[in-house]
Structures are given as C-alpha cells and as structure tokens.
Amino acid sequence: MRKLERRYSDTLQIVSVHSPKFPTERETENLRQAILRLRIEHPVLNDADFKYWQTFGARAWPTLFFIDPNGNVIGLHEGELTEDMAVPLIDGWLAEYEAEQILSRQHLGLERETGHDSALSFPGKVAWDDDAGRLVISDSNNDRIIIADIDGNVSQVVGGSQAGFTDGSAAEATFNQPQGVESYGDYVFVADNENHAIRRIDVRDGSVITIAGTAEQARMLPSGEPARRTALSSPWDVAVHDGDLYVAMAGIHQIWRMPLGDDAGSDSYIGPWGGSGREGIVDGPRMQSELAQVSGLAPGPSGVAFADSESSGVREISWDPDGRTTTFIGKTGEGGLFHFGDADGGRSVARLQHPLDVARVGDELYVADTFNHKIKQVFALTENVNTLVGGHGDALGNFSELQLDEPGGLTNGPGRSLLVADTNNHRIVHLDLESRLGREIVLKLP
C-alpha cells in the first residue's frame, strides 16, 4: 500500500478499515499506537464492531475494495496484492477517468499525528550477550540498532539516518523497521523486517553487510538457496544455536535455518527448517506442521521454543533429526487461530493474546503476552502458564505493581533476570527475578 500511495500520490486515496481480530485491537488508543509504529500515512477507520466489514461483505484479511470517483465499487481483491499486480488496473482506471474528466486532484488536508518524544521509538526486540556484557536493542521506528551495557551506556549506534537498505559503515548503513537481534561473538545479526533481509553488524567497527535476502518480499515458498539470492518474507526474529542462525519467517509461517560456518554467514545458504508454509496450529513432523506468524525464538536443550503469534500459542520444534513440533500453550487443529484471551492455568483453560516473543532463563520459559501487556511463565512439562508481571500502563517497581504496554521483545538478562522491549512505552525494562523489581534502563546516547 505504501508503494502505491507514493506512486499515485495525487490520484489515489487509500483508507484502511481496521476490523480487529483481537480484543486489544478494538481500543482506539491501541490502534493509534499501531498506526504510529507502522508509519501509516493514510486515514484509518476503527471498525471495532465489524459494521463496515459486514456492509462491504468482506470475508478475509486483507480485502481490498477499489472505488471510483463516483463512489462505486469497481474491484475486489482478497488476500495480499503486490504493486506489480495493482499498477495495470489502476493505470487503466485513471486513463478512463481522465478521459471522462471526473478525476479530482484536490488535497484532503489530512495531517499525520506525531509520535512519542524519547530516545527510543517503538523498540521491537532486545538481546543480551553475557560474555561481552552487551545489550542490543532494535530501535525499530528510528531504523537503527543500539549497542550498550546493562546500565544504558551506549557504545554504538548503527543506522538511523533514514529508512533504507544500504550496507557500509555505522553511519552509512540503513535499516527499515528492524526487529530481531542476536549477539554472537564479534557480530550482531539483525532481522531487517521491512527490507526482508538478514543483516550482520561487525561490532569491532560498526560496519554492516547483508548476508541473506534481496530486499524484495518472497511471494513463493523457496527451498534452500544461496542466502543473498533468496527472497525472504518479514523476518521477525533471529537466534543462534550450534553455529546455525534460525530465522522466524513470520510472513510465510515458517522457521528457516542458515549455517554460519567459519565466516559468520558471509557466503551461506538459507532455507525452510520448520513449518509447511500453511498458516495454522497443527503439530507433527517439523516440515509438515502448521505455524502461524512465528515472531520470537528461544533455543534450548530440547529444541527451539517460539511465539506463534496468530495462534496465540507457545510451541517448540525439537532438535531431533526428524524433529517434531509440539504445542505447550494453544489450541491445535480447527479453530486454533481464534483461541485467545487472558487466563492462567492449565492448557485447557490458559489463554494468551498475540504473543510476540519467548525467552529462557535456565530451565525456565517465559513469553511476552503482547496484547495482554504481560510477561508470563510457561511450564512446558505441565502445560501451565502463570502471570509474572504486567497490566496495561507504565508503572515500574515491584512486580505486583509493574505495568507494560504491548511488550514485543523478551530475552534473558544478566543473572536471573529478563529484559523486555516495552514497545509502546518506548523503553527497555530490566526484570530482576530474585528481587522481583523492575526498572527502566535509561539510555545515555553519545
């Protein structure tokens, strides 16, 4: 949509009608934050009661309706639509309306809201390297990666001059809405979400290279190919295990694997490792199982746990050669994509709402229950879930009082602690599991 509205800036007006799946998405203030986070530049209508969905007869997310200058619906498309697919249609209609002299180029006079004034802007993910004492933050809406210590002393800022897709020095490199980050030796790997690429930062000099992706979104389900010639689709997180880089490929509901080798992925291949590509919540052999918008990864001794956001589930794929997918929290099979809520307890009653990340602290597993504004502990063996901390707001201090606002990133911190990318509060929160206190890590930028 962004490409189309820029291409036809004086002749095409886009209006998004937001018909929400999740209860949290019905709140106008939450929607406002999402519009700012996604940098949407056109009007958005909150269709909280599905009035417009029903009036227009929509059946799928997304559904596109094309309307002519006289207000008549002249086209309908269900599902994703690329710029190349839309351009011939729009060009044909524009030529027709120009000839009929009914096309208006009047500016609507709409102004976009401004965002929050803080060091961070909607931080997406966070990583901690215990050996190096390195804190890595994807400052997503500022299109940059920040490297600091646990006290917030910033040592490097990479990117951030503008959104783009450029390799080079820390000052030259550009990202576009980066999400997942992983510290590994002298490198930081980045899931550069809207560039559909995996980038690598050399922390010794801050330089950036692309190790996977073409900056074009994958429209097919490719097999293993040379990484820099393979199109990716909305990579949302990255994690390293036994010398391999695993990628949460949210756009095509899979987990991919990329061997790093001796050159940290400079000349590697990448391809699907788990998930058939069909959206759903079905367990079984890893390449036959169905995943749903994988958004966060946490490797462990038995396998890689992941946040399956569209199924509101926490699941794991085992490391076995014939690895299998197992669901800890969530409803497998039919109806699983609409099984969500906010409830602790055993699997039969537990509910999450669009979780975006998972983390391990020793043998313990935690989940960022994003739309419930909480961090919860998942007991995999008993398939139980308990709330650790949270509730909608911005209070800090004791776990009983601490509040969050759509936390999107979660990782283990120093000692027995968690680090949270508290996305809509524009901050990183350190949760000490021993003292049960939470504090903001205030960044000291150079």
Side-chain angles (χ1 to χ4, degrees):
M1 293 301 101
R2 185 172 288 121
K3 290 180 179 179
L4 290 175
E5 62 187 345
R6 290 175 180 172
R7 181 172 187 145
Y8 300 103
S9 59
D10 64 338
T11 52
L12 176 69
Q13 177 62 55
I14 294 176
V15 176
S16 287
V17 178
H18 173 71
S19 303
K21 171 181 174 180
F22 296 102
T24 293
E25 295 177 310
R26 297 172 190 162
E27 302 297 328
T28 298
E29 182 54 36
N30 295 336
L31 176 59
R32 179 176 287 110
Q33 294 299 316
I35 292 167
L36 291 170
R37 183 173 68 247
L38 298 173
R39 299 194 284 230
I40 293 174
E41 298 176 355
H42 57 258
V44 179
L45 184 151
N46 187 6
D47 186 28
D49 57 3
F50 276 63
K51 174 183 175 182
Y52 287 89
W53 175 281
Q54 294 167 357
T55 298
F56 278 79
R59 301 183 303 174
W61 289 286
T63 301
L64 282 71
F65 293 90
F66 296 90
I67 300 172
D68 71 10
N70 294 318
N72 301 308
V73 175
I74 55 172
L76 165 67
H77 180 85
E78 295 179 340
E80 301 289 345
L81 185 72
T82 67
E83 181 186 20
D84 292 341
M85 294 165 62
V87 163
L89 294 172
I90 296 173
D91 283 348
W93 285 323
L94 290 179
E96 177 184 342
Y97 303 142
E98 287 275 23
E100 296 176 7
Q101 297 183 338
I102 60 173
L103 192 65
S104 171
R105 287 183 167 82
Q106 180 180 354
H107 190 270
L108 297 183
L110 301 172
E111 293 187 10
R112 187 172 182 270
E113 287 189 41
T114 57
H116 186 80
D117 183 18
S118 63
L120 298 174
S121 180
F122 297 104
K125 300 286 187 185
V126 61
W128 171 252
D129 186 327
D130 210 41
D131 293 335
R134 181 185 300 142
L135 172 67
V136 185
I137 303 163
S138 59
D139 190 12
S140 302
N141 251 40
N142 284 326
D143 304 298
R144 64 185 182 179
I145 305 300
I146 293 176
I147 300 174
D149 63 20
I150 196 63
D151 295 317
N153 300 302
V154 175
S155 58
Q156 288 178 302
V157 178
V158 184
S161 59
Q162 59 184 353
F165 184 55
T166 307
D167 288 346
S169 68
E172 296 168 337
T174 55
F175 301 90
N176 193 348
Q177 295 271 28
Q179 282 289 331
V181 284
E182 174 80 317
S183 181
Y184 180 70
D186 291 325
Y187 302 103
V188 169
F189 298 103
V190 181
D192 195 5
N193 183 46
E194 290 213 7
N195 278 327
H196 309 289
I198 305 300
R199 320 288 294 281
R200 191 189 74 191
I201 301 171
D202 189 325
V203 297
R204 292 168 294 191
D205 60 10
S207 61
V208 178
I209 67 168
T210 300
I211 61 171
T214 64
E216 294 295 325
Q217 185 172 13
R219 298 297 174 185
M220 306 292 288
L221 290 175
S223 56
E225 299 288 348
R228 283 179 289 184
R229 299 206 302 268
T230 300
L232 311 182
S233 183
S234 300
W236 213 274
D237 200 13
V238 285
V240 174
H241 176 77
D242 279 354
D244 291 333
L245 184 71
Y246 292 84
V247 182
M249 204 69 70
I252 46 179
H253 315 297
Q254 291 182 317
I255 297 175
W256 284 27
R257 182 176 70 92
M258 178 179 178
L260 295 175
D262 295 334
D263 55 5
S266 294
D267 188 19
S268 187
Y269 68 88
I270 192 170
W273 178 80
S276 66
R278 179 182 174 86
E279 185 179 21
I281 178 168
V282 175
D283 290 346
R286 59 182 169 87
M287 288 308 300
Q288 299 171 29
S289 59
E290 295 179 7
L291 318 182
Q293 206 175 97
V294 185
S295 300
L297 304 173
S302 58
V304 58
F306 58 94
D308 207 41
S309 63
E310 277 300 301
S311 72
S312 296
V314 176
R315 310 171 73 189
E316 183 181 80
I317 298 179
S318 67
W319 298 128
D320 304 334
D322 300 324
R324 295 183 64 83
T325 301
T326 301
T327 296
F328 298 145
I329 302 298
K331 180 180 182 295
T332 56
E334 187 176 353
L337 296 182
F338 291 86
H339 182 80
F340 51 81
D342 183 9
D344 292 352
R347 183 176 171 186
S348 62
V349 298
R351 299 286 191 279
L352 307 174
Q353 190 183 178
H354 202 267
L356 285 181
D357 213 349
V358 285
R360 298 182 190 266
V361 178
D363 295 331
E364 301 166 6
L365 179 62
Y366 296 88
V367 57
D369 192 5
T370 305
F371 280 3
N372 286 325
H373 316 289
K374 295 179 178 180
I375 306 300
K376 296 182 178 181
Q377 185 172 3
V378 177
F379 299 88
L381 292 178
T382 60
E383 297 182 339
N384 247 293
V385 61
N386 285 338
T387 296
L388 174 73
V389 68
H392 196 193
D394 60 5
L396 294 170
N398 293 320
F399 280 12
S400 60
E401 302 170 348
L402 193 142
Q403 297 172 315
L404 303 167
D405 192 344
E406 293 194 19
L410 186 67
T411 192
N412 61 302
R416 289 197 69 250
S417 70
L418 289 165
L419 297 169
V420 182
D422 191 10
T423 303
N424 285 1
N425 279 327
H426 313 284
R427 67 187 183 185
I428 304 301
V429 175
H430 177 249
L431 300 177
D432 189 319
L433 297 175
E434 298 291 348
S435 67
R436 299 185 68 82
L437 292 173
R439 68 177 180 94
E440 179 181 358
I441 298 176
V442 179
L443 297 178
K444 306 170 187 68
L445 292 164

